[in-house]
Amino acid sequence: MIDSHCHLDHEPLYENLPEIISRSKETGITKLLTICTTFDSFENIKEIVKKDQMIYGTYGIHPHETEINQVDKQTIVNCVNENKKIIGIGETGLDFFYNHSDKDRQINSFKAHIEAATELNKPIIIHSRDAENETFEILSSYKNKNLKILMHCFTGSLEFSKNLLTLDAFFSASGIITFKNSTELQDTFKTIPIEKLLIETDSPFLAPIPMRGKKNEPSFIKYTLERLSTLKETTAEQMSNITTDNFNKLFNV
């Protein structure tokens, strides 16, 4: 198993890294991808990836943070190039649900990340909430740039998933697919080709059932894996192998 999206620089994960890494290995996780959200986050991630061979990182500015953390393409390119364990761009994207940051700033930041991803030939990790049309429109404008798209914690509509598949996108399932009220999302995941699926925790957020109410951590990914394997009518072992292969293929590791 690979946790394709966690935030090891967030508490309580950061202060308990040795235990978090140990429990991840005991669960059968082989890689952790810790995701950048701010400039300060990246400084911590550069140190975290040194803690264990299994940990990789990304560089990116979360859409909520674009008001303060304004970035251009060249900055992203330079930061990724300085460290071989930084293997992805993001998380970036659009969030028009909370609107913590100005829409235009979110869009400009998103485009800068996309352009850096195409130049570096690295996957881009995308957060999209209440912005399906805008997200797809922007991504579509880069259709001929061989962009490697990963929709993180995908909660979008069936139509959105079908549109994204025309761009050869990958989709990451989080603990949300274990929630009782997520039947529509579960039905959407049933339709996504198995070779396009990854799994994640988004820890310390979104703990899956039966761990709701607790701070999430990478070792809880097994519950998401089990639910996804049921939805795709396969075994947990088979789904683990497939999502691991998909991750390694996408990130070229």
Side-chain angles (χ1 to χ4, degrees):
M1 290 182 292
I2 295 175
D3 187 350
S4 69
H5 195 112
C6 56
H7 297 278
L8 298 180
D9 62 315
H10 284 47
E11 299 299 359
L13 305 183
Y14 189 57
E15 66 182 358
N16 296 292
L17 268 179
E19 294 88 349
I20 296 297
I21 293 168
S22 177
R23 286 196 292 270
S24 296
K25 291 178 177 178
E26 289 169 6
T27 305
I29 295 171
T30 56
K31 293 186 182 78
L32 299 171
L33 185 59
T34 187
I35 305 295
C36 180
T37 55
T38 65
F39 297 143
D40 289 343
S41 170
F42 187 60
E43 294 306 309
N44 288 330
I45 286 169
K46 286 191 290 186
E47 295 304 312
I48 291 171
V49 297
K50 298 176 184 177
K51 301 290 186 184
D52 196 280
Q53 190 174 356
M54 77 185 303
I55 304 175
Y56 294 82
T58 68
Y59 181 89
I61 304 300
H62 192 286
H64 287 340
E65 307 294 341
T66 55
E67 203 71 30
I68 298 171
N69 296 257
Q70 296 178 37
V71 73
D72 58 30
K73 181 193 82 168
Q74 198 55 50
T75 299
I76 300 168
V77 169
N78 292 344
C79 288
V80 173
N81 278 336
E82 73 180 29
N83 193 318
K84 289 182 179 179
K85 293 198 80 179
I86 304 303
I87 60 173
I89 312 297
E91 78 187 84
T92 181
L94 304 174
D95 192 316
F96 298 160
F97 180 80
Y98 286 112
N99 274 323
H100 288 322
S101 297
D102 175 76
K103 285 187 177 182
D104 288 338
R105 283 191 175 161
Q106 290 189 47
I107 290 168
N108 290 337
S109 180
F110 188 23
K111 289 179 177 178
H113 285 78
I114 293 171
E115 288 161 11
T118 58
E119 181 172 323
L120 291 163
N121 193 31
K122 301 281 188 186
I124 186 164
I125 296 134
I126 297 172
H127 170 116
S128 179
R129 189 167 187 191
D130 277 18
E132 290 189 359
N133 292 337
E134 295 87 347
T135 300
F136 182 67
E137 182 180 337
I138 290 169
L139 290 173
S140 295
S141 69
Y142 294 89
K143 188 171 184 177
N144 298 320
K145 300 287 187 179
N146 296 317
L147 186 63
K148 298 177 179 179
I149 299 167
L150 173 56
M151 301 305 298
H152 131 73
C153 187
F154 186 71
T155 55
S157 65
L158 176 61
E159 181 184 7
F160 190 33
S161 70
K162 289 180 176 179
N163 287 338
L164 288 164
L165 282 169
T166 68
L167 303 178
D168 206 26
F170 286 75
F171 302 79
S172 185
S174 72
I176 292 175
I177 67 165
T178 71
F179 299 174
K180 291 178 181 178
N181 64 353
S182 71
T183 52
E184 190 173 333
L185 179 62
Q186 292 171 22
D187 288 342
T188 297
F189 268 97
K190 289 177 183 178
T191 71
I192 297 172
I194 203 165
E195 67 271 15
K196 290 294 179 183
L197 295 176
L198 278 68
I199 52 174
E200 66 169 89
T201 58
D202 200 17
S203 51
F205 315 106
L206 299 176
I209 290 174
M211 297 300 183
R212 293 296 287 155
K214 297 183 178 181
K215 286 291 185 181
N216 200 6
E217 65 171 77
S219 65
F220 294 174
I221 201 166
K222 61 186 178 182
Y223 302 109
T224 299
L225 176 75
E226 288 166 2
R227 185 66 184 133
L228 186 61
S229 64
T230 299
L231 295 175
K232 302 304 284 186
E233 298 181 339
T234 186
T235 65
E237 182 181 7
Q238 181 79 358
M239 183 57 65
S240 176
N241 291 336
I242 290 168
T243 55
T244 296
D245 288 345
N246 292 346
F247 179 97
N248 290 334
K249 175 185 173 184
L250 177 62
F251 285 95
N252 193 30
V253 289

